[in-house]
């Protein structure tokens, strides 16, 4: 009977699914062998590693990719007559592999001798091994995981080696060499968020401090692309605060997939492929690529089978030829009616036929896995059909209600001249003309232009007949030629929608624009205010925007988009572009064209910091250096490139070129993307190269370029001439000779058409890193400049502290935290509010930077400090609040530090007006009252206005707090206060001396509070009995005891006569006063700086506060929890200050200077190595 294979192999199973090996002897030493199996050991492993050869193998195992690193022992299977070996087991130790070997000899060798056919033997062995693995997985409940054991092991090593938290995910790892000086180190780099720049054969990672160079990669392209993608994600998080979310819908790994690839790496790969797919075919941002395959497409217009690739996603089937411009095709599944397999033949193998609603049929052939592909498309088609039915039902119900109430939306500026309530136009009504169509109806164009326009229309109609019309048309080189010759005025809106991809988003979102307009009506914010300001500046020379109807349509489109995308809202130049869109498209169509522009074709152009335009400005500088090198240095010296790029790119030349010429640029832009703008800009520079080289300043250079752009004409335009004068053309020189726009565009394609879209994206990546870092540097400078006058820190110290503050914010944002990252980081906020930290983040910085941090006891004090700094109560503090708090501890005097410590223990809310604020609600209210009386506003003349401003400015200046205005500490607050004092010195070098001083101070304060309570009680009693004869204090009970039982009364303080005022101070400091000055008696004495103190009195008071040393800790034992808090007991800040002044140890501690630079250096070192120094170590290092 054969032994059980599972129980025979102890520990983790080492059998592997059989894999073929061609060279069994390479890099391996055979230790055992029989006719069917070979046990081998890796050269360079263990004793007798094989000398030089073994050393070489060991080195290769380190340097080569980690997938080549294998277990040092393995077992191979081979039939006697075969040259192919199969790996069936591996082991990390000799014991493991020997157990497997012995099992094979006892259980399989005799069985294999029965077989006569070697193929049967191979099949049996492979099946047996796979059966053992399957049985083991079943018995041990081994579940499939996205990440392999090897990758999990690498992730654990990564976290341990670099001190990374669980939240940080390892994406992938690659073997490489790291150059450090002249020494070459072998290491594994982990690809995290970092800025990478590609150099020949190496990857250089540039940081703010230094550069790191990595080389000797097996696959440097893959490594760099992954690093680039991760850096892009990091920059995106800084830019728009969108976190990274892993895609959980990815399919499981296939058997042939690389085993070392993590689920996150697969997610990133799929994400990158989807991004390229969407950019190539101008698809919506949420479209995900499902897969692609090589195939051929039958093109009826030239009767050829074109070789290319088919791409399939959830809503589209796309095709592009191997030759880039030969043919491309987009088939939305919403247009598909039939997908079927055609008959195969030698000429047409594995064909698939796809038919659409407009009666077009597309024939694909040479498809691998045709059955799977057809099934996949059918599944997506079924989902699309279900979506369409659901949308029709929803739209039908909405339309029925709209028919009852009437529509309030106008589809274009040319609708009815009636009031808003009288408009009942359908946004999708094709019978409604656009502004340009109305101008055509007015017959304001010349006959030659009319003839040219007619010929253009006929050419496009012929093209539609041959290549198809609509979204499913064949897009070829002829399509591009027609675009370069100019799109007819009547077809411009339709083709803009088609080429930009906006038609897809509009078709899949019926009713979306109407809902946005309805929701945004009557709502006002900063974006709507800016829109109203710019409405009448949008093509004011065009007749369509010289009436309220055109302005109203522009307002609706811009406002709707601002509500759709609050991150962008509204940006200058959007009004100019949108007004042009409205001239050629319906209102809803113009909205979706704007969406395509802002979110896909010109990413990040129209946000508050115009990051996209700044990025493309850097790209344009690189292109100018490459294509017009003789002009580049001159342009850089004049500073012209940065000026022209923003105005040219943001408005697509619409603001710098005559309108009828600029729309031709827009035609080409919608067809070919941003490369058209770069090509045209380079052509303009190249055409004026000699004039620009002779310019002496930027004004002269801009005049040259402005005159040239003003002379660009479109003689084919059928529109009436629209006045245009470039704003920079200020001289009275002769105009530049006319430049034909079509010749200029064609020249740009001929000279600079080699610029590729993927190269532009590569250049954008590098520039985006620089732009974001520049913005961050600008933010830092602005923040420091804002608060440098409010603190004693130097500019360099503030910059270093800002970097630490920001680093703590960012790391905690993405590695956990008690609050939402989007609440703490909002790039749209003012500079000071962009980065904020919560209490958990504050604890980390408190331990590193604040001098009161004391190890284990720091967190409670940090929480109290944070609560004090959090003025608005949103559980977040900004950099100014952080610096104000740190500044008091580092640069404040003794009184300020003690005042801060005191206020930490006051009930929240009682000390709000005492915090570090320079403009409170009261001062703002007073300022408003100056201009408003009984709800009526009055206009002040200039002298009065300036006078009130001066008064308000004086009021808002920070004033020194009056210590007498600080609230008193009650009994429970005082107990917490004492606990804080005792815990503050736990790691100080003068710990014992500080403990004794603290005990003396707390004892004095306790007695002051008790005696002060009696004075307060007697004063209140005398006030209640002012009509009765005055009695002695000895004969009257404490008012606090009235209404209480005898037991409760017995727990109260003894009468006044039992309290002996005697001097028992532990030190003879010369202040041996025997009288108590109460707070009420000194309210008007502003010169009083300290109190005569009451020494320790009765034994009952001594028992109120005790110190008990337990190991290295000190615990304050105060009032028992069962004792009720005495509401009459209280101490003032002045009493606390006076008590501290009697103890030189405490005075020395709080007046001790703080080495801010050393603390900053320590904090930076901790950030690097992930290990903090204790307070004692820190003090020792300072003294050394």
């Amino acid at each position: 009977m054969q032994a059980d294979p599972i129980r025979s192999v102890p520990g983790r199973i080492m059998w592997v699914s059989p894999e073929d090996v061609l060279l069994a002897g390479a890099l391996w030493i055979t230790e055992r062998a029989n006719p069917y199996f070979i046990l081998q050991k890796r050269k360079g492993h263990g004793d007798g590693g094989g000398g030089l050869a073994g050393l070489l193998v060991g080195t290769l195992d380190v340097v080569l990719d980690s997938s080549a690193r294998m277990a040092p022992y393995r077992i191979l299977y081979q039939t006697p007559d075969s040259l192919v070996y199969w790996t069936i087991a591996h082991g990390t130790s000799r014991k493991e592999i020997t157990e497997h070997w012995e099992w094979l000899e006892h259980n399989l060798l005799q069985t294999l001798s029965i077989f006569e056919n070697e193929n049967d033997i191979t099949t049996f062995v492979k099946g047996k091994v796979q059966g053992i693995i399957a049985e083991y997985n079943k018995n041990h409940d081994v579940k499939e995981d996205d990440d392999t054991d090897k990758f999990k092991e690498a992730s654990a090593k990564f976290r341990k080696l670099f001190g990374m938290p669980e939240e940080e995910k390892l994406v992938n790892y690659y073997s490489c060499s790291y150059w450090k000086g002249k020494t070459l180190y072998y290491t594994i780099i982990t690809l995290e968020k970092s800025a990478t720049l590609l150099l020949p054969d190496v990857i250089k990672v540039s940081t703010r401090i230094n550069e790191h160079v990595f080389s000797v990669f097996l696959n440097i392209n893959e490594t760099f692309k992954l690093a680039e993608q991760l850096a892009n994600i990091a920059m995106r998080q800084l830019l728009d605060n969108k976190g990274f979310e892993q895609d959980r819908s990815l399919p499981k790994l296939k058997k042939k997939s690389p085993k070392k690839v993590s689920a996150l790496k697969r997610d990133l790969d799929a994400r990158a492929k989807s991004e390229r797919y969407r950019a190539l075919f101008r698809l919506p941002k949420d479209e995900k690529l499902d897969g692609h395959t090589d195939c051929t497409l039958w093109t009826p217009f030239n009767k050829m089978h074109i070789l290319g690739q088919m791409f399939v996603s959830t809503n589209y089937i796309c095709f592009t030829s191997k030759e880039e411009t030969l043919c491309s095709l987009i088939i939305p599944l919403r247009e598909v009616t039939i997908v079927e397999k055609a008959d195969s033949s030698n000429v047409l193998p594995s064909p698939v036929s796809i038919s659409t609603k407009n009666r077009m049929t597309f024939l694909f052939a040479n498809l691998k896995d045709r059955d799977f592909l057809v099934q996949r498309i059918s599944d997506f088609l079924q989902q699309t059909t279900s979506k369409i039915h659901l949308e029709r039902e929803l739209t039908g119900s909405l339309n029925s209600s709209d028919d009852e109430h009437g529509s309030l939306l106008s589809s274009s500026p040319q609708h009815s001249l009636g009031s808003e309530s009288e408009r009942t136009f359908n946004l999708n009504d094709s019978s409604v003309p656009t502004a340009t169509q109305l101008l055509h109806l007015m017959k304001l164009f010349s006959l030659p232009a009319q003839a040219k326009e007619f010929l253009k229309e006929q050419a496009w109609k012929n093209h539609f007949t041959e290549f198809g019309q609509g979204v499913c048309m064949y897009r070829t080189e002829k399509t591009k030629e027609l675009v370069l010759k100019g799109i007819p005025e009547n077809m411009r809106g339709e083709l803009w929608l088609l080429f930009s991809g906006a038609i897809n988003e509009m078709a899949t979102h019926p009713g979306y624009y109407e809902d946005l307009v309805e929701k945004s009506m009557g709502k006002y914010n900063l974006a709507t205010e800016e829109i109203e300001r710019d409405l009448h500046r949008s093509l004011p020379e065009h007749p369509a925007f010289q009436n309220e109807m055109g302005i109203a349509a522009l307002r609706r489109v811009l406002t709707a988009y601002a509500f759709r995308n609050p991150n962008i809202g509204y940006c200058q130049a959007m009004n100019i572009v949108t007004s042009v869109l409205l001239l050629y498209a319906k209102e809803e169509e113009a909205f979706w064209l704007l969406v395509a522009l802002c979110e896909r074709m010109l990413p990040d152009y129209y946000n508050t910091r115009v990051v996209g335009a700044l990025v493309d400005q850097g790209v344009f500088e690189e292109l100018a250096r490459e294509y017009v090198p003789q002009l580049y240095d001159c342009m850089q010296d004049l500073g012209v490139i940065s000026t022209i790029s923003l105005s040219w790119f943001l408005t697509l030349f619409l603001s710098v070129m005559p309108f009828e010429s600029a729309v031709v640029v827009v035609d080409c832009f919608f067809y070919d993307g941003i490369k058209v703008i770069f090509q045209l800009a380079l052509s303009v520079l190249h055409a004026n190269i000699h004039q620009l080289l002779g310019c002496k300043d930027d004004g002269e250079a801009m005049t040259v370029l402005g005159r040239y752009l003003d002379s660009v004409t479109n003689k084919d335009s059928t529109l009436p001439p629209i006045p245009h004068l470039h704003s920079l053309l200020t001289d009275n020189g002769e105009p530049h000779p006319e430049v034909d726009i079509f010749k200029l565009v064609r020249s740009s394609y001929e000279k600079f058409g080699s610029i590729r879209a993927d190269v532009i994206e590569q250049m954008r990546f590098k520039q985006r890193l620089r732009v974001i870092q520049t913005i961050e540097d600008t933010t830092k400078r602005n923040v420091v400049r804002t608060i440098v006058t409010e603190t004693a820190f130097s500019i360099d110290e503030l910059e270093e502290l800002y970097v630490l503050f920001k680093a703590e914010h960012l790391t905690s944002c993405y590695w956990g935290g008690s609050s939402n990252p989007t609440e703490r980081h909002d790039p749209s906020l003012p500079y000071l509010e962009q980065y904020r930290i919560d209490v958990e983040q504050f604890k980390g910085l408190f331990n590193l930077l604040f001098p009161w941090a004391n190890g284990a006891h720091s967190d409670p004090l940090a929480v109290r400090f944070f609560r004090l700094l959090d003025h608005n109560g949103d559980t977040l503090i900004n950099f100014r609040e952080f610096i104000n708090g740190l500044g008091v501890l580092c640069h404040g005097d003794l009184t300020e530090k003690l005042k801060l410590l005191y206020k930490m223990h006051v009930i929240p809310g009682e000390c709000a007006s005492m915090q570090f604020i320079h403009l409170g609600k009261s001062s703002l209210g007073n300022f408003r009252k100056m201009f408003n009386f009984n709800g009526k506003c009055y206009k002040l003349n200039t002298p009065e206005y300036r006078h009130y401003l001066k008064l308000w400015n004086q009021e808002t200046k920070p004033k020194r707090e009056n210590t007498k205005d600080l609230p008193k500490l009650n009994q429970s607050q005082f107990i917490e206060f004492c606990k804080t004092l005792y815990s503050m010195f736990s790691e100080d070098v003068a710990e014992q001396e500080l403990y004794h001083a603290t005990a003396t101070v707390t004892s004095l304060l306790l007695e002051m509070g008790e005696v002060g309570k009696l004075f307060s009680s007697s004063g209140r009693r005398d006030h209640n009995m002012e009509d009765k004869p005055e009695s002695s204090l000895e004969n009257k009970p404490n008012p606090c005891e009235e209404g209480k039982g005898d037991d409760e009364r017995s727990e109260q303080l003894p009468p006044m006569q039992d309290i002996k005022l005697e001097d028992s101070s532990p030190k003879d400091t010369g202040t041996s006063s025997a009288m108590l000055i109460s707070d009420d008696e000194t309210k008007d004495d502003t010169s009083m700086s300290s109190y005569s103190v009451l020494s320790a009195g009765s034994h009952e008071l001594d028992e109120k506060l005790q110190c008990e040393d337990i190991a290295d800790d000190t615990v304050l034992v105060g009032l028992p929890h069962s004792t009720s808090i005495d509401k009459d007991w209280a101490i003032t800040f002045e009493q606390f200050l006076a008590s501290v002044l009697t103890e030189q140890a405490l005075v020395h501690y709080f007046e001790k200077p703080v080495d801010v630079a050393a603390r900053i250096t320590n904090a930076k070192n901790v950030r690097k190595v992930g290990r903090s120094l204790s307070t004692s170590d820190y003090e020792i290092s300072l003294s050394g």
Side-chain angles (χ1 to χ4, degrees), residues 137 430 624 747 828 1051 1146 1160:
N137 292 342
S430 60
S747 172
S828 64
E1051 295 179 359
L1146 290 175
I1160 292 175

Side-chain angles (χ1 to χ4, degrees), residues 508-536:
T508 54
H509 294 81
Y512 178 83
Y513 175 67
E514 294 96 317
D515 292 340
L516 268 183
V517 172
E518 184 176 353
K519 291 176 182 177
S520 61
M521 277 185 176
K523 295 183 179 179
Y524 300 95
N525 53 28
L526 180 61
T528 57
E529 291 179 7
E530 293 176 346
I531 290 171
E532 289 297 327
R533 184 184 62 220
D534 288 347
L535 282 176
H536 294 279

